[in-house]
Amino acid sequence: RLKTPFPRVCLQMDLKLLLIATLLGAFSCGDAQKEGNECINANAKYCGECIQAGAKCGWCKDPNFLKQGETVSTRCDEMHSLIKRGCDDDMIENPHGKQKILKNKKVTHRKKGAEKLKPEEITQIQPQKLSLTLRSGEPQSFNLTFKRAEDYPIDLYYLMDLSYSMKDDLENVKNLGTSLMLEMSKITSDFRIGFGSFVEKTLLNPCTGDQNCTSPFSYKNVLKLTSDGKKFNNLVGQQHISGNLDSPEGGFDAIMQVAVCGDHIGWRNVTRLLVFSTDAGFHFAGDGKLGGIVLPNDGKCHLENNAYTMSHYYDYPSIAHLVQKLSDNNIQTIFAVTEEFQPVYQELKNLIPKSAVGTLSANSSNVINLIIDAYNSLSSEVILENSKLPEGVTIAYTSRCKNGVVSEGESGRRCSNISIGDEVMFSISVTSKGCPKLGKPEHIKIKPLGFTEEVEIILNFICECECNKDGVKNSPLCHFGNGTYECGACKCNEGRVGRQCECSSNDVATEDMDRTCRKDNGTDICSNNGDCVCGTCECKKRDNPEERYSGQHCECDNFNCDRSGNKLCGGHGHCECRVCVCDPMWTGNACDCSLDNSTCLASNKQICNGRGECECGTCKCTDPKFQGPTCETCPTCPGVCTEHKECVQCRAFGTGEKKDTCERDCSYFNLIKVKDRDKLPQPNDASYPVMHCKERDANDCWFYYTYAVNNNTEKEVHVVDMLGKLPRRPAAHLEATDDHPRQTRVCQV
C-alpha cells in the first residue's frame, strides 16, 4: 500500500511517465475539476433542481422550447445559451438572492468622561441582525463594522493557585484590589474585580501538622465580581495556602466553573478577563483516571456555597472543551505563570483564541503590569468567528484594517493594532451549494472573539422556481394525470417516465418501443446518438455543452456543418441538423459569402464602378481594361501617363514640379529602373494590363516608363533611367540673338 500522500506521489513521479499520462488524459495530480457546463451536467429534471446546480443556470419554461429528441434536462442551461437557442428572456426562470438588514444600530461614538452608558447601550459592531436569501452558488456579501468603544466596562476575575509553593505570591495579591482599581481607572471608569482560588481534586490531605495550610480543594469562588477594591483586599487577606500531592494542579476544573457559572461569578455583558495565576502545570482530560475518576467533564456549573462539589465525580475537562466554553461565554484568558512554565502555557495559548501569557515574577510583585500589558495586547486585536454553518454553506472574510491593510482567507478574519476609538471593516460573503435541509431557514452568528456582541444572520434558501407555485398536480397534459405540469414541463409521479409521463418505468425497454426509435430497419436505435425511453429517443449529451444531438431519431446535430476559416458556418450562422442556417446578409454552404455590397461601392457610388459584379462582397471586373478592388483602375486608359508624369519624374530623376514634395506626394507606387526601353514590361508579357508612356521634361528631353497595377493590387512603375534626345529642330528656330544667346540642350543618350 502507498502511504505517501497522493500529491507527493505526483511530484515524485517520473517526468516522462507524467508527460505521457497527462497527454493521454489518464492521470491528474490534485483534485480534477469536472469539465463542462454545470447546468447541463446536473441533468435536472425540473426547475428547482436546475437552479440549485449553479448561479449561472436558468430554466426555460416555454412549453414549445424543446426540439424533437431533446430531453427535459436540456431546458436547464446557462442564460446566454438558452437565449441563443431561442428562449425569450421573460420565459427563463433565473432567481437571484437578496439581503435585508433587520437591525442596524450605529456603533457608539463616546469618550471617557462623557455621560455614562449602561453596557447594553454601547454598540461596537454593526449591523446586528440581517436576513440573507441565498441562491445556490451565488454569494451574498455585506459589510460588518467594528469600533473599539471608548471607556468600555471591564470585568476581571483573578483565579489563583493556592498550593503551598504560592505562599509568597498570596501576600502580594492581598493588596491587588485597590492597586489594580487605580491602574484600570486609566482605561475605564467602570471596572469590577473578583477572586477565586484552586488547588487540586480532593483525594488526600498533603498538609502536615507543622504547616499552616488548609485542606486541598478543587475550586472556591471567594469573591463575586465587585467594584469595591477594599473588599477584594480584605477577603483575599483571609485566604490560606494549601498543599498538593503532585506538581500539576487542577486549574482546568476551576477555569471551567468560572466560565459556566456566570450568575455565581457575576459576569456582565462587557469585556470579560480571566487572570489565571500559577507556578505549575495542569491536569487535563484523562488524568482523573489516576484517582479512579472516569466520567468526562459535563461542562456544567456545580457550585454549592461557592465551592465546586463534583471534582471527585467528573474528570478534568479537555483543552478543546475549555476552548469551547471560554468562547461561548466571551472570556479572554490571561495566563500569569512563572518563567519555568512559560513554554507550556505558550503552547496552550496557541490553542485558546483571545488568550495571552505573561511572565509572573517569583512573588507576583509584577502582576499589575502583567495584567495591563496583557489586556492591551488582547484588546488591540479583533478576531471574527462564526457559529457552526449548515451543510453546504460557506463563509469568506476580507478584512480592511488600519492603514489600508487588506487581507483575505483566514487572515481576513482579524485586524491588529487597534487603538481605542479605531474603526475597522470586514466584508463577509456567504454562499450556499444546493439546498440545505430542504430549504428551511437557518440561523448563524458572527461575533468578535472575547466580545459579547454578535451579528445574527437568518439564512433563507431559494430551492424552487417561482413558476413552481403555478404547477398543476395530476395534470391532463402529463398523460392522464401521471405527473405535475410545472414550469413548461411534466414532473412525473413516482414510477412514471417519458416527456409526458406516458410510460411506466417497468415497461421502458421493450422490442416494440425500440422499433419506434429506429428511422428504418437499416439504422441503429436513435441513430446510435441516444437512448430509447418509452418509445421516444432521448439524445445523448456531448462533452462540449454547446454541441447537441436532436431530431426524432437523434439523426441531427449542431456541430457537423461546413466550416470556413476554421469556424463552424464561417462564424456567420448556426448549424441545424448538419446544415448551416446563415445570419442575415450572409449566404453559402458555410455562410462565408457576404451579401453586403458596401465593400463593392466605387467612388462614384456605383457597384464595381459599373464595370463588374459584386460576389460575396468582392468585385469581379467584367471589363478587362479595369481592375482593382472596385474596378476603378485602368492602367491603359488615356490620361494615365499625364496623371503620373510629375511623380515619375521626381522619383526617377529628381526634377519636375514635385521635386520638393516628392516624398510626401509620390510614394504611392513601387519604382523599378531599367537600362533601356527594351527592358520595359511588354503588354503580352504580363498577366495584367500595362500602359506604356512617353513624356517630355522641362528641358525638352524625353523619358519613357510603364504604369500598371499588378495582381496584388500594387501600383508599379518601370522607368528607363536615361533621358532621350529630342528630334533635331529647324536651324532658324535655334539661331542665337543678342537677347537670346544659343543654349545647348544636353540629354542623356
Side-chain angles (χ1 to χ4, degrees):
R1 292 174 58 190
L2 286 174
K3 295 184 178 180
T4 308
F6 181 64
R8 191 177 300 167
V9 174
C10 293
L11 294 176
Q12 295 176 349
M13 192 174 188
D14 183 84
L15 183 59
K16 292 182 179 178
L17 291 176
L18 182 59
L19 178 59
I20 294 171
T22 303
L23 292 172
L24 293 176
F27 188 86
S28 176
C29 292
D31 295 328
Q33 291 186 344
K34 190 175 182 180
E35 295 182 358
N37 183 319
E38 62 180 349
C39 312
I40 292 178
N41 290 339
N43 201 28
K45 298 296 188 297
Y46 60 94
C47 187
E49 193 176 9
C50 173
I51 63 172
Q52 292 177 42
K56 296 180 180 179
C57 301
W59 176 272
C60 183
K61 59 185 179 182
D62 183 351
N64 302 315
F65 173 66
L66 294 183
K67 294 180 180 177
Q68 203 166 31
E70 290 185 333
T71 61
V72 172
S73 63
T74 57
R75 289 182 177 274
C76 183
D77 206 341
E78 294 182 358
M79 287 289 295
H80 68 89
S81 183
L82 289 174
I83 294 171
K84 186 177 180 180
R85 289 167 56 197
C87 189
D88 290 339
D89 191 56
D90 59 354
M91 294 298 289
I92 299 176
E93 285 283 326
N94 182 35
H96 294 286
K98 59 184 179 180
Q99 56 183 264
K100 183 178 181 181
I101 296 179
L102 304 175
K103 188 177 181 182
N104 195 31
K105 186 180 178 183
K106 291 185 177 181
V107 291
T108 303
H109 296 277
R110 170 175 169 264
K111 294 184 178 180
K112 187 178 176 183
E115 181 182 355
K116 192 167 185 177
L117 298 175
K118 296 178 181 179
E120 59 269 20
E121 295 175 333
I122 300 174
T123 303
Q124 297 184 104
I125 193 169
Q126 179 188 357
Q128 295 79 42
K129 186 176 182 179
L130 67 156
S131 169
L132 300 180
T133 301
L134 300 177
R135 157 85 185 272
S136 178
E138 180 186 64
Q140 288 294 318
S141 302
F142 65 95
N143 291 330
L144 183 151
T145 301
F146 175 85
K147 183 177 186 295
R148 187 177 166 193
E150 300 88 341
D151 196 25
Y152 195 69
I154 299 174
D155 285 351
L156 185 147
Y157 191 84
Y158 197 91
L159 182 60
M160 185 174 181
D161 174 5
L162 286 188
S163 58
Y164 195 80
S165 58
M166 294 286 284
K167 182 178 180 181
D168 54 346
D169 299 81
L170 180 60
E171 292 302 316
N172 282 313
V173 173
K174 288 179 180 180
N175 295 319
L176 179 65
T178 51
S179 301
L180 190 57
M181 280 281 184
L182 182 62
E183 286 298 319
M184 294 301 288
S185 66
K186 300 174 183 177
I187 299 173
T188 177
S189 60
D190 189 354
F191 177 72
R192 298 198 309 170
I193 190 171
F195 184 83
S197 58
F198 68 92
V199 182
E200 183 56 285
K201 291 184 181 295
T202 308
L203 299 174
L204 294 174
N205 187 354
C207 293
T208 59
D210 59 343
Q211 291 177 330
N212 181 21
C213 69
T214 61
S215 299
F217 54 90
S218 181
Y219 164 66
K220 289 180 182 178
N221 177 28
V222 177
L223 176 64
K224 188 175 182 178
L225 287 163
T226 177
S227 55
D228 188 347
K230 292 182 180 179
K231 186 176 182 181
F232 179 96
N233 292 350
N234 292 335
L235 283 175
V236 174
Q238 298 171 18
Q239 304 304 304
H240 299 282
I241 51 89
S242 180
N244 191 12
L245 293 172
D246 60 355
S247 176
E249 313 293 6
F252 277 17
D253 273 344
I255 293 176
M256 178 63 76
Q257 293 303 299
V258 172
V260 299
C261 298
D263 292 338
H264 294 270
I265 304 299
W267 292 119
R268 297 176 295 169
N269 284 330
V270 298
T271 298
R272 299 175 176 180
L273 300 178
L274 169 61
V275 179
F276 181 85
S277 175
T278 184
D279 65 348
F282 47 82
H283 285 296
F284 52 90
D287 288 353
K289 294 178 182 178
L290 300 174
I293 303 172
V294 295
L295 280 178
N297 194 287
D298 67 351
K300 296 180 180 178
C301 182
H302 297 289
L303 290 185
E304 291 183 13
N305 297 321
N306 286 321
Y308 180 39
T309 58
M310 302 297 283
S311 65
H312 63 289
Y313 191 76
Y314 288 117
D315 193 4
Y316 303 100
S318 67
I319 294 175
H321 202 179
L322 273 185
V323 170
Q324 178 195 342
K325 292 301 180 180
L326 289 170
S327 176
D328 289 347
N329 292 281
N330 307 304
I331 296 171
Q332 303 176 66
T333 309
I334 300 172
F335 296 105
V337 298
T338 53
E339 187 171 0
E340 178 185 358
F341 287 93
Q342 274 285 314
V344 175
Y345 283 91
Q346 282 290 349
E347 290 298 321
L348 182 60
K349 167 191 173 295
N350 294 335
L351 300 174
I352 302 179
K354 292 294 280 187
S355 62
V357 177
T359 303
L360 194 65
S361 61
N363 58 4
S364 296
S365 59
N366 69 329
V367 68
I368 291 179
N369 289 335
L370 186 154
I371 291 172
I372 297 297
D373 291 344
Y375 167 74
N376 288 332
S377 174
L378 288 172
S379 61
S380 67
E381 182 176 52
V382 58
I383 304 173
L384 296 185
E385 69 166 0
N386 50 266
S387 59
K388 185 178 179 181
L389 299 174
E391 184 179 356
V393 175
T394 57
I395 190 166
Y397 295 86
T398 301
S399 61
R400 291 174 171 80
C401 308
K402 288 176 64 177
N403 303 320
V405 177
V406 178
S407 302
E408 296 179 343
E410 280 303 304
S411 299
R413 291 175 175 265
R414 67 178 65 208
C415 281
S416 303
N417 300 319
I418 303 175
S419 304
I420 291 175
D422 284 345
E423 186 172 302
V424 294
M425 182 178 291
F426 297 86
S427 293
I428 301 173
S429 181
V430 183
T431 309
S432 72
K433 182 62 179 176
C435 202
K437 289 190 179 179
L438 302 177
K440 294 181 179 179
E442 297 277 358
H443 291 251
I444 62 173
K445 293 181 179 180
I446 298 175
K447 68 174 185 178
L449 281 172
F451 294 84
T452 57
E453 296 176 64
E454 61 189 15
V455 181
E456 181 184 358
I457 305 174
I458 304 170
L459 301 180
N460 301 294
F461 303 95
I462 300 175
C463 298
E464 287 291 350
C465 301
E466 280 296 315
C467 57
N468 172 260
K469 298 176 182 178
D470 302 323
V472 180
K473 291 186 177 181
N474 304 320
S475 169
L477 295 175
C478 301
H479 198 262
F480 304 108
N482 283 315
T484 300
Y485 187 77
E486 63 178 46
C487 303
C490 284
K491 185 178 179 182
C492 297
N493 296 337
E494 189 173 353
R496 303 296 298 186
V497 294
R499 192 183 285 189
Q500 276 81 42
C501 312
E502 63 269 30
C503 290
S504 167
S505 57
N506 298 322
D507 302 329
V508 294
T510 66
E511 190 173 333
D512 288 340
M513 288 182 180
D514 284 351
R515 190 177 298 114
T516 64
C517 292
R518 298 180 189 269
K519 193 171 184 179
D520 52 55
N521 290 336
T523 58
D524 293 327
I525 293 176
C526 300
S527 307
N528 202 29
N529 293 325
D531 300 314
C532 187
V533 179
C534 197
T536 302
C537 284
E538 291 193 354
C539 302
K540 294 177 183 177
K541 294 178 181 177
R542 299 269 298 174
D543 291 337
N544 182 346
E546 298 295 326
E547 299 177 354
R548 294 180 179 83
Y549 292 110
S550 62
Q552 182 179 352
H553 303 98
C554 302
E555 73 277 13
C556 295
D557 64 60
N558 68 344
F559 52 88
N560 275 317
C561 284
D562 289 339
R563 293 175 177 266
S564 177
N566 203 30
K567 292 182 180 180
L568 189 68
C569 298
H572 303 300
H574 61 278
C575 184
E576 286 189 9
C577 203
R578 304 186 178 184
V579 176
C580 282
V581 178
C582 300
D583 295 338
M585 301 304 294
W586 290 92
T587 188
N589 291 339
C591 301
D592 54 354
C593 180
S594 174
L595 297 177
D596 181 8
N597 60 14
S598 62
T599 56
C600 294
L601 284 177
S603 57
N604 58 9
K605 304 302 181 184
Q606 287 186 313
I607 298 293
C608 300
N609 194 32
R611 299 180 183 275
E613 297 175 353
C614 188
E615 295 181 7
C616 300
T618 303
C619 281
K620 302 288 185 182
C621 300
T622 55
D623 188 330
K625 291 194 233 175
F626 287 83
Q627 59 187 113
T630 54
C631 304
E632 293 184 84
T633 303
C634 179
T636 60
C637 292
V640 169
C641 294
T642 305
E643 179 183 351
H644 303 291
K645 169 189 170 184
E646 294 297 338
C647 279
V648 173
Q649 188 178 349
C650 79
R651 288 277 301 274
F653 307 109
T655 60
E657 294 180 3
K658 291 192 176 183
K659 65 180 181 180
D660 295 329
T661 60
C662 196
E663 185 175 350
R664 184 191 70 191
D665 298 338
C666 299
S667 26
Y668 59 87
F669 58 82
N670 297 325
L671 182 71
I672 303 101
K673 292 184 178 182
V674 297
K675 291 296 184 182
D676 53 56
R677 292 170 64 181
D678 293 338
K679 303 296 184 183
L680 291 174
Q682 300 303 312
N684 296 330
D685 296 339
S687 59
Y688 46 86
V690 177
M691 182 68 176
H692 277 253
C693 300
K694 175 184 175 184
E695 295 293 335
R696 191 168 58 186
D697 67 8
N699 294 323
D700 284 338
C701 294
W702 294 105
F703 57 95
Y704 303 89
Y705 65 93
T706 62
Y707 176 84
V709 179
N710 63 23
N711 293 329
N712 296 324
T713 69
E714 296 172 337
K715 298 179 178 68
E716 59 182 34
V717 171
H718 288 74
V719 62
V720 178
D721 65 356
M722 297 179 67
L723 296 171
K725 280 186 179 181
L726 284 171
R728 184 176 299 277
R729 299 192 183 187
H733 184 72
L734 298 176
E735 285 298 322
T737 64
D738 293 337
D739 296 329
H740 300 283
R742 182 188 295 270
Q743 295 181 359
T744 303
R745 298 176 183 83
V746 180
C747 294
Q748 294 168 314
V749 179

